[in-house]
Amino acid sequence: MNAPVTNEVSQNLATYNFAYLDEQTKRMIRRAILKGIAVPGYQVPFASREMPMPYGWGTGGVQVTAAIIGSEDVLKVIDQGADDTTNAVSIRAFFAKTAGVATTTATPDATIIQTRHRIPETPLTAGQVLVYQVPIPEPLRFLEPRETETRKMHALEEYGLMHVKLYEDIARNGHIATTYAYPVKVEGRYVMDPSPTPKFDNPKMHQSEALQLFGAGREKRIYAIPPHTEVVSLDFEDHPFEIQHFDQPCAMCGAEQVYLDEVVLDDKGGRMFVCSDTHHCESRQAEGHRGALLGDDASTGKEATR
Amino acid sequence: MSHSDTLEALAAAGIPAPVKPLLSVEGLTRVYGKRIGCADVSFDLWPGEVLAIVGESGSGKTTLLNCISSRLTPTCGTVHYRMRDGASADFYKMAEAERRYLMRTDWGFVHQNPIDGLRMTVSAGANVGERLMAVGNRHYGNIRNTAIEWLSRVEIDEDRVDDQPRTFSGGMRQRLQIARNLVTEPRLVFMDEPTGGLDVSVQARLLDLLRGLVSDLGLAVIVVTHDLAVARLLSDRMIVMKEGRVIEAGLTDRVLDDPRAPYTQLLVSSILQV
């Protein structure tokens, strides 16, 4: 997948600035990012630009990536953990073309990882930046529709309403049924929406060595979690926060304690659970780990790798 | 009404006057451009006292209530509130955070239309529990038990605790709104036409309930109503407003039985006799 810079490509794109956005815009976005880092979890408004892709496809993440990427960076893009879905492939190709940067699918090799709704299984290290694509940055949005009011609630730390949502979950389902976009409190101050990542990934945000940046293009907000920041998932004393648990290991690589996707195999009720993080699964298979399905029927297994 | 008048009135009614009022309103004025919302309103409210503000539509009752309860910023005038520590604080000089904290702990606001005061898409239990969670209660079991206890106090069946208020009747919604406000045991409650839009039998039960709660909890209440019967049932004292100004004030029974201002006489004589 690595696409090295070629003069041919950059000449063809002479009308574009490096990484698509103009320098003034990047400056503006970098200011918002710096402010976000200085106030962890606070949603910084920024003048989001039109991007050559529809809202909802990662316009916020792309703008953040464009503002921080340099020619030496190595970019990885994942979509629900996968490196090879349309969204991930196009965004990677976009930056390979407009910035001429190297791209990768290997988590440890990447300096910038743009993600839609997952955090890689391989622990991130110092110096890496994780850029989230965020559809709705406001965790209180579905409880309080007025932006003026939610901003005031953040300012005054009035977060009782967030617990009303969790209360309602328990009242209806007997347990906290929020499984993604699970609200967190950052550094004991701001309540933040971690974007629709599964709550399985919430503990990975806590004291992460990597810098985490969040971009919401349509909603025009940027927020950040600097490295080594306390990120606590909200809960009740008698209903503590829990992550998802899976009954079986990955069907392809046999990994446990990872987040699995359910894949339907046929129309007879056949299904398997595989790692949602494709790089993690592939590198485990390369190391010789085999899951139940791959041992039995290699051909079905290959199709299901997507 | 001046301070000494009120004290005199209280003494006449045989009520020992507490030394200091809970709420003091001084020269409160709100103008909308050239029009007057309410002008130069002053009164004191003592702990446990129920004050009715009456008058016809457009007389400035609701403007006054909103100005006192910080839902509207007054053009001039002051509102002093005696905090739990006994110190009197100028309400509009407080930090906004403090004001909002006061409003969701020590104060309550019962809207005429329960939809304005309830979260219609969350269960009754969560509606009652919201204030508890806002002040930092983080134990689901305790919050739920308190909610159930309050629902039974306002005569809502325990098994409705997980139902959304949109499945409730008008009277039930209004009772739920009252429970939601009283759960933090406030000392001062504002009510804007609490029985408006309810049929008479439901009104009667609600008034009965309110009277019980007010005397049990020793609440101070400011109730805005155009219904003089509600004022007579609930309130100790009343203020009559016309065109944004207070034209008469005094003990409820005195005002209703012996109205002095011509407008009050008109108002009292306009009550339909059944």
Side-chain angles (χ1 to χ4, degrees):
Chain A
M1 194 52 80
N2 285 5
V5 180
T6 63
N7 284 331
E8 199 187 334
V9 169
S10 28
Q11 273 158 16
N12 288 347
L13 294 164
T15 46
Y16 286 115
N17 190 31
F18 177 79
Y20 186 77
L21 289 175
D22 62 279
E23 292 304 314
Q24 277 302 322
T25 300
K26 286 197 242 175
R27 242 167 91 116
M28 173 271 292
I29 295 173
R30 286 176 198 142
R31 281 197 187 119
I33 293 172
L34 286 173
K35 185 168 179 181
I37 294 170
V39 193
Y42 171 70
Q43 300 167 46
V44 185
F46 79 111
S48 176
R49 298 288 191 252
E50 292 268 345
M51 296 303 282
M53 60 203 291
Y55 286 137
W57 287 64
T59 51
V62 163
Q63 289 180 77
V64 170
T65 304
I68 60 170
I69 204 164
S71 52
E72 303 299 304
D73 275 313
V74 181
L75 180 69
K76 171 184 163 85
V77 183
I78 51 174
D79 175 1
Q80 307 267 19
D83 290 284
D84 49 8
T85 58
T86 314
N87 201 203
V89 170
S90 344
I91 293 174
R92 207 160 44 223
F94 176 77
F95 282 111
K97 206 173 191 180
T98 58
V101 293
T103 61
T104 181
T105 57
T107 307
D109 298 345
T111 55
I112 299 175
I113 303 170
Q114 185 175 330
T115 173
R116 174 173 173 269
H117 315 348
R118 263 324 297 283
I119 299 175
E121 304 290 357
T122 317
L124 300 179
T125 54
Q128 287 186 308
V129 183
L130 189 60
V131 179
Y132 296 75
Q133 302 171 195
V134 183
I136 294 163
E138 179 52 74
L140 302 161
R141 175 59 66 241
F142 294 106
L143 302 153
E144 173 53 64
R146 290 168 295 176
E147 177 74 13
T148 46
E149 185 66 15
T150 53
R151 288 179 70 92
K152 196 165 273 177
M153 289 159 82
H154 282 294
L156 301 176
E157 246 186 304
E158 285 180 10
Y159 290 133
L161 203 52
M162 206 69 250
H163 274 87
V164 171
K165 180 178 183 289
L166 301 180
Y167 173 98
E168 199 57 15
D169 257 9
I170 303 172
R172 285 187 199 175
N173 306 297
H175 59 96
I176 298 179
T178 305
T179 53
Y180 64 95
Y182 192 103
V184 294
K185 196 163 206 179
V186 180
E187 206 62 15
R189 177 60 182 85
Y190 284 97
V191 165
M192 190 196 90
D193 184 339
S195 85
T197 50
K199 65 179 175 183
F200 182 89
D201 286 339
N202 274 17
K204 294 182 197 162
M205 306 174 83
H206 178 60
Q207 300 291 354
S208 168
E209 285 186 23
L211 169 64
Q212 302 172 74
L213 302 176
F214 299 76
R218 183 187 51 210
E219 303 290 324
K220 301 176 173 54
R221 295 288 184 274
I222 284 173
Y223 50 104
I225 302 176
H228 307 288
T229 300
E230 185 189 67
V231 179
V232 180
S233 305
L234 301 180
D235 58 5
F236 282 102
E237 286 157 17
D238 46 349
H239 287 268
F241 172 76
E242 279 178 350
I243 59 172
Q244 289 101 332
H245 293 286
F246 298 92
D247 302 334
Q248 42 189 308
C250 169
M252 308 288 293
C253 74
E256 293 177 16
Q257 312 298 324
V258 293
Y259 191 73
L260 302 179
D261 280 341
E262 186 179 6
V263 178
V264 176
L265 296 174
D266 49 37
D267 56 2
K268 300 183 192 72
R271 58 197 58 217
M272 65 169 180
F273 286 88
V274 289
C275 293
S276 107
D277 185 337
T278 52
H279 166 254
H280 184 74
C281 199
E282 280 159 14
S283 49
R284 273 181 60 85
Q285 286 174 49
E287 287 163 17
H289 297 280
R290 287 288 179 270
L293 198 80
L294 217 53
D296 297 344
D297 187 350
S299 65
T300 322
K302 274 203 184 94
E303 255 170 56
T305 0
R306 292 157 298 165
Chain B
M1 164 177 283
S2 76
H3 194 121
S4 59
D5 274 356
T6 322
L7 284 178
E8 218 170 85
L10 277 171
I15 301 166
V19 193
K20 286 174 182 157
L22 185 66
L23 188 79
S24 295
V25 175
E26 279 285 322
L28 205 65
T29 302
R30 166 78 199 199
V31 294
Y32 300 103
K34 283 180 180 167
R35 290 176 208 289
I36 292 172
C38 63
D40 197 24
V41 178
S42 304
F43 65 85
D44 290 328
L45 183 76
W46 272 265
E49 187 187 30
V50 179
L51 176 75
I53 302 173
V54 301
E56 60 189 13
S57 306
S59 60
K61 307 184 297 274
T62 302
T63 297
L64 174 60
L65 190 75
N66 287 344
C67 279
I68 302 167
S69 60
S70 92
R71 301 167 60 77
L72 205 61
T73 314
T75 313
C76 60
T78 58
V79 177
H80 283 269
Y81 180 69
R82 195 159 302 280
M83 312 290 277
R84 281 186 194 251
D85 62 7
S88 175
D90 187 337
F91 190 59
Y92 285 100
K93 292 226 172 82
M94 281 181 201
E96 191 176 11
E98 201 181 351
R99 204 152 62 211
R100 285 172 65 116
Y101 183 78
L102 196 67
M103 282 177 65
R104 60 173 193 264
T105 53
D106 223 14
W107 291 14
F109 197 107
V110 177
H111 295 260
Q112 172 173 9
N113 189 345
I115 291 175
D116 298 335
L118 292 173
R119 291 192 189 280
M120 299 304 281
T121 52
V122 302
S123 65
N127 264 293
V128 179
E130 180 176 343
R131 277 177 164 228
L132 296 173
M133 292 181 251
V135 296
N137 203 319
R138 292 287 177 267
H139 192 284
Y140 174 80
N142 295 350
I143 294 168
R144 193 178 158 85
N145 289 340
T146 312
I148 289 173
E149 191 186 309
W150 268 98
L151 288 183
S152 67
R153 278 183 92 160
V154 297
E155 300 165 15
I156 295 175
D157 283 343
E158 191 179 313
D159 61 5
R160 300 301 300 268
V161 66
D162 292 332
D163 290 350
Q164 293 186 6
R166 64 172 145 205
T167 65
F168 287 11
S169 69
M172 279 170 80
R173 288 179 187 182
Q174 199 58 290
R175 294 201 298 272
L176 179 62
Q177 196 192 174
I178 290 163
R180 173 183 157 89
N181 273 290
L182 298 187
V183 67
T184 48
E185 296 181 8
R187 294 190 300 157
L188 175 58
V189 177
F190 301 98
M191 296 183 187
D192 190 0
E193 306 275 9
T195 57
L198 300 176
D199 56 50
V200 281
S201 59
V202 176
Q203 249 188 49
R205 270 178 65 203
L206 187 73
L207 284 172
D208 210 36
L209 176 77
L210 276 177
R211 249 163 41 135
L213 287 171
V214 164
S215 64
D216 284 356
L217 301 170
L219 290 177
V221 179
I222 297 181
V223 55
V224 159
T225 181
H226 62 263
D227 186 337
L228 294 180
V230 169
R232 186 185 294 266
L233 262 175
L234 276 181
S235 67
D236 305 314
R237 213 149 50 86
M238 68 193 282
I239 284 178
V240 184
M241 290 188 73
K242 184 176 185 258
E243 288 162 7
R245 291 172 196 281
V246 175
I247 53 160
E248 187 160 358
L251 293 176
T252 302
D253 290 344
R254 202 283 290 153
V255 174
L256 291 178
D257 295 340
D258 178 21
R260 288 175 195 169
Y263 174 73
T264 317
Q265 290 169 2
L266 178 78
L267 210 61
V268 170
S269 63
S270 304
I271 299 173
L272 286 175
Q273 305 294 325
V274 184

